[in-house]
Amino acid sequence: MRCQLGERDAHIENLNEQVAALTSQCHGLQRDVTQLQQNESDTDKGTELENVELKTQLDALREERDSLSSSVFILEEQVNQLNGDLKSKLDKIEELEEVADGLRNGIIFKR
C-alpha cells in the first residue's frame, strides 16, 4: 500500500509540476496578448494621429487651391481687360494708319 501511496504522491507531484508549467505558459501567453493589444492600441492611436495630420494637410491644400483658383480668376479677368485695351489700341492704330495713308495719298495727288 505504501508503494501505491508513493506512486500516487509521485503522480500528484508530476501533475502539480505540469500544472505549474502550464500556468507559467498561460502567464507568458497573457503577457504576449497584452503586449499585442498595447501594440494594436498604439498603432490605432498612431494611425488616428496620422489621419488627423493628413486631414489638416488636406484642408490646408484645399485652402491653397481655393486661393489659387481665386487668383487665377482675377488674373484671367485682368488678361481679358488687357486684351480688350490692346484690341482698342490696335483699332485706333489702324484708324491712324488709314488717316496717314490718306494724308500721304493727298500729298502725293497735290504734287
Side-chain angles (χ1 to χ4, degrees):
M1 179 117 162
R2 284 188 188 201
C3 189
Q4 288 178 342
L5 285 177
E7 287 177 15
R8 188 187 72 156
D9 286 345
H11 185 66
I12 289 173
E13 189 170 324
N14 185 22
L15 289 175
N16 282 336
E17 288 174 5
Q18 288 179 5
V19 166
L22 289 173
T23 300
S24 177
Q25 275 185 311
C26 283
H27 288 299
L29 290 172
Q30 184 59 45
R31 279 191 304 272
D32 290 347
V33 166
T34 301
Q35 184 61 46
L36 288 172
Q37 288 172 336
Q38 182 63 43
N39 290 349
E40 182 180 23
S41 175
D42 291 348
T43 299
D44 288 347
K45 287 177 187 173
T47 301
E48 188 175 315
L49 180 59
E50 188 176 309
N51 286 344
V52 168
E53 290 172 356
L54 288 173
K55 185 181 181 319
T56 301
Q57 289 175 356
L58 180 61
D59 289 344
L61 288 172
R62 283 182 176 148
E63 286 179 22
E64 186 176 353
R65 178 203 60 202
D66 292 346
S67 175
L68 289 173
S69 293
S70 177
S71 295
V72 166
F73 178 77
I74 291 168
L75 288 172
E76 286 174 341
E77 290 295 316
Q78 289 175 345
V79 165
N80 289 337
Q81 180 66 42
L82 289 172
N83 282 337
D85 292 348
L86 182 60
K87 182 173 179 353
S88 174
K89 288 180 181 181
L90 287 173
D91 290 344
K92 187 67 173 176
I93 289 171
E94 285 179 16
E95 287 176 25
L96 290 173
E97 285 176 343
E98 288 174 9
V99 169
D101 287 343
L103 289 174
R104 277 195 285 275
N105 288 337
I107 292 173
I108 293 172
F109 288 126
K110 286 185 180 180
R111 287 190 186 175

